[in-house]
Amino acid sequence: MVEHQLKARGIKDSRILSAMGAIPRHLFVPEPLKEQAYEDHPLAIGYGQTISQPYIVARMAEASLITPSCKLLEIGTGSGYNAAVLSELAKVVYTIERIEPLAEDAKSHLKEIQKSNVFVFLGDGSLGLIDKAPFDVIIVTAASPEAPKSLLNQLAKGGRLVIPVGDALTQKLLRYTKKAEGDFEVAVLDFVRFVPLIGKEGWTL
Ligand code: SAM
C-alpha cells in the first residue's frame, strides 16, 4: 500500500509514510471486507458510510502540514482509522462522529491499538468543538456545501482547515490557511468524492 498507492502517487513526507505503514488498517474494516483492507479504494463501514481510500488519508494529512506539536480536530470519525493515522503525526487528536454506533466502534478500535492521544466525541462536527479550540489543523472527512464558519473560527492563527467542498457528486479538496481573524488563503488541492457532512453548517437531512 505504501509503495504502490502512496509513494508512487507522490506522497513524500516520511512521517506520513511511516504512520500509514504503522497503523493496521484491517482492524478498522468490517469482518467481511478485511481481505480488501489495503486495496486502493474506500470500503463500506455500515450506516451508509465509508473508510476513505488510503491515498486520500495520506493526501489530506500531507496537505494539512501536521507537526508533532499540533492540536488537531477531525470531523467524521467513521471507523477511527484516519484518526489513528493522524495521532501518529500530531500531539493530540479530537475527532467527532454523528452516528453513535460508529463512534463506539471507533473508540474500541482505537483502544485495541492503545491510542491514548485520540479522543472521540459524538455530535455535529460541522459546529466544531468549541471547548477544545483553537486548533492548528482541522480535517473534515465528509463533503460540505461550503467551509463551515464555526470551523474557520476555531482555527488558530496560521492554522489549516482541509475540507472537501462541493455538491453530492464531486467536490474540490480545499485548504484554508488562517492569516488573521477573517483572513484566509485558499488553495485547491484536488478533486474528490466524499459522503456528505450532515449538520447545522453542512447539508441538512
Ligand atoms: N475518517 C473516517 C475513517 O477513517 O473511517 C472516514 C469518514 S467517512 C468518509 C465520513 C464520516 O463523517 C461518516 O462516518 C459520517 O457519519 C460522518 N459525518 C457526517 N456528517 C457529520 C457531522 N456533521 N459530524 C460528525 N460526523 C459526521
Side-chain angles (χ1 to χ4, degrees):
M1 180 185 91
V2 169
E3 289 298 323
H4 299 292
Q5 299 172 37
L6 309 185
K7 280 192 192 171
R9 286 205 188 99
I11 303 292
K12 291 189 182 71
D13 185 328
S14 58
R15 294 177 70 231
I16 293 176
L17 296 169
S18 309
M20 296 288 295
I23 300 298
R25 185 170 159 95
H26 59 279
L27 294 184
F28 295 84
V29 166
E31 199 58 51
L33 298 176
K34 281 201 190 295
E35 280 187 4
Q36 297 177 49
Y38 297 89
E39 291 181 7
D40 191 16
H41 49 78
L43 290 167
I45 54 171
Y47 309 92
Q49 306 304 323
T50 53
I51 174 174
S52 304
Q53 177 192 17
Y55 170 69
I56 289 293
V57 173
R59 178 83 178 93
M60 290 176 93
E62 195 166 65
S64 51
L65 307 171
I66 304 164
T67 61
S69 61
C70 272
K71 180 164 50 149
L72 190 151
L73 175 66
E74 181 201 27
I75 312 301
T77 315
S79 66
Y81 171 73
N82 203 339
V85 171
L86 297 171
S87 77
E88 297 275 308
L89 305 168
K91 184 172 181 194
V92 61
V93 175
Y94 299 99
T95 177
I96 314 179
E97 174 54 54
R98 63 179 281 274
I99 300 176
E100 190 166 11
L102 289 180
E104 290 307 315
D105 281 356
K107 276 185 202 166
S108 61
H109 297 145
L110 290 161
K111 197 168 168 196
E112 203 178 338
I113 58 166
Q114 295 170 346
K115 283 288 167 197
S116 56
N117 64 337
V118 186
F119 301 92
V120 179
F121 289 80
L122 180 67
D124 178 3
S126 74
L127 302 174
L129 198 57
I130 192 72
D131 291 352
K132 304 290 181 192
F135 301 98
D136 303 300
V137 169
I138 303 178
I139 293 180
V140 184
T141 66
S144 185
E146 57 186 33
K149 297 263 180 308
S150 296
L151 299 185
L152 291 169
N153 289 339
Q154 289 174 32
L155 277 182
K157 187 167 176 231
R160 284 83 60 201
L161 165 67
V162 172
I163 179 168
V165 171
D167 59 29
L169 291 180
T170 178
Q171 305 105 30
K172 284 179 184 165
L173 185 62
L174 301 181
R175 179 180 58 213
Y176 288 78
T177 304
K178 193 176 217 168
K179 297 290 172 197
E181 237 16 85
D183 180 13
F184 297 90
E185 183 182 283
V186 185
V188 180
L189 306 170
D190 234 321
F191 289 88
V192 289
R193 187 171 181 178
F194 276 85
V195 296
L197 179 75
I198 312 263
K200 282 210 176 101
E201 295 191 35
W203 296 100
T204 44
L205 276 179

